[in-house]
Amino acid sequence: MLIILLGPPGAGKGTQAKRIVSENNLVYISTGEILRKAVKEETSLGFRAKQYMDQGQLVPDELVVEIVKDRLVEPDDKKGALLDGFPRTVTQAKFLDKVLPDVNAKIDRVILIEVEENELIERLTGRRVCSECGANYHVQFQPPKVRNVCDRCGGDLYQRDDDSLETVKERLEVYKQQTEPLISFYQEKELLSTVDGNQDIDGVYKQINSIIEDL
Ligand code: ADP
Ligand code: AMP
């Protein structure tokens, strides 16, 4: 099974993805997480990607497609993969179409999570992330039990550099210009399902789950 989560930054893709992968036994592929890890570990990929990420721009396609290709081969004990934050451009989507037959896979569903812009800004500027396990929190909407400490693993929570108001606005603009064209790209292929992401986390999950159950 191959599922793609599509939607603007802050729509709740990461939050939903973590639950979907654990309940459906899928490999989780988040290009954003992979890139942040590369930046933290100061690899050459991280070094090249950082300048774009800090400014809220997309990392060039040729860097991103390389990291995805290697991960699409799933371990035997998994039932498929979930892509979060990839593809983000039509070029990336076309690349995916080209490599999937090589790994004997096809896209089962692209799930678009739609959320209003003001809500996205609130979600992103209040987001906190666990430095150890990557779990997402929100100071108001999804606070941890103990301030700045991860409920799951006890790791420290931090605010992403690109979650400042200025960079968030830039990322939303980049989404409109470069990623939104994927909506019609996948609509034309009859692969798109849309979910109302303005609901609470459980409500969004229920809608996504009913789409997955029908696959
Ligand atoms: P994305 O991966 O799409 O950028 P996240 O899953 O990281 O988005 O969610 C962004 C922020 O919004 C996080 O702080 C998360 O806790 C919060 N959040 C996610 N889903 C909801 C929701 N349905 N209602 C309120 N807050 C949410
Ligand atoms: P995310 O964690 O999905 O919000 O991604 C954080 C940042 O990583 C983005 O703002 C981009 O700079 C970069 N990034 C993540 N995924 C991609 C992608 N598919 N293409 C280009 N840049 C990406």
Side-chain angles (χ1 to χ4, degrees):
M1 183 190 288
L2 180 62
I3 295 170
I4 294 174
L5 282 190
L6 183 64
K13 300 182 298 296
T15 303
Q16 298 297 333
K18 296 204 166 83
R19 196 162 156 189
I20 299 166
V21 295
S22 77
E23 293 192 13
N24 294 277
N25 196 21
L26 303 175
V27 179
Y28 177 49
I29 306 173
S30 156
T31 43
E33 264 190 18
I34 294 166
L35 289 166
R36 273 188 296 283
K37 190 162 176 268
V39 170
K40 196 171 162 191
E41 291 172 355
E42 300 182 336
T43 65
S44 69
L45 167 70
F47 184 71
R48 283 183 287 170
K50 187 178 184 324
Q51 52 186 313
Y52 300 98
M53 296 171 78
D54 283 349
Q55 288 172 20
Q57 299 296 323
L58 294 185
V59 173
D61 289 331
E62 57 274 21
L63 290 183
V64 180
V65 296
E66 279 308 312
I67 59 181
V68 171
K69 198 174 171 187
D70 297 343
R71 307 214 175 206
L72 280 171
V73 184
E74 71 222 25
D76 289 344
D77 60 337
K78 297 283 180 187
K79 283 205 212 134
L82 181 140
L83 286 171
D84 165 7
F86 183 93
R88 253 179 162 99
T89 63
V90 172
T91 306
Q92 292 178 13
K94 287 184 176 163
F95 162 86
L96 192 59
D97 284 343
K98 217 172 80 193
V99 298
L100 284 180
D102 297 345
V103 292
N104 238 337
K106 66 167 186 50
I107 300 168
D108 290 287
R109 209 72 209 151
V110 178
I111 301 176
L112 169 67
I113 307 179
E114 279 188 329
V115 176
E116 289 184 15
E117 184 153 328
N118 283 343
E119 172 76 11
L120 292 172
I121 293 173
E122 269 200 71
R123 287 188 188 180
L124 289 168
T125 52
R127 172 163 59 188
R128 297 292 182 271
V129 183
C130 176
S131 53
E132 300 293 326
C133 72
N136 283 315
Y137 294 89
H138 189 281
V139 287
Q140 191 185 342
F141 305 140
Q142 202 192 357
K145 292 195 183 87
V146 179
R147 198 166 172 265
N148 286 330
V149 178
C150 180
D151 292 348
R152 285 197 220 161
C153 74
D156 290 336
L157 305 188
Y158 74 102
Q159 181 169 30
R160 278 170 47 175
D161 289 344
D162 60 352
D163 279 345
S164 67
L165 182 59
E166 193 191 348
T167 314
V168 160
K169 287 184 174 164
E170 183 59 32
R171 286 161 63 205
L172 293 175
E173 202 47 47
V174 166
Y175 173 78
K176 278 186 206 150
Q177 288 173 12
Q178 302 190 51
T179 307
E180 256 182 13
L182 288 179
I183 297 175
S184 52
F185 181 88
Y186 285 121
Q187 244 161 3
E188 280 161 24
K189 291 176 182 283
E190 297 186 352
L191 283 172
L192 195 82
S193 295
T194 304
V195 165
D196 177 8
N198 297 295
Q199 316 167 67
D200 65 18
I201 293 173
D202 280 349
V204 179
Y205 182 75
K206 277 191 192 119
Q207 236 187 304
I208 293 178
N209 200 38
S210 72
I211 294 167
I212 295 175
E213 277 174 354
D214 282 348
L215 291 176

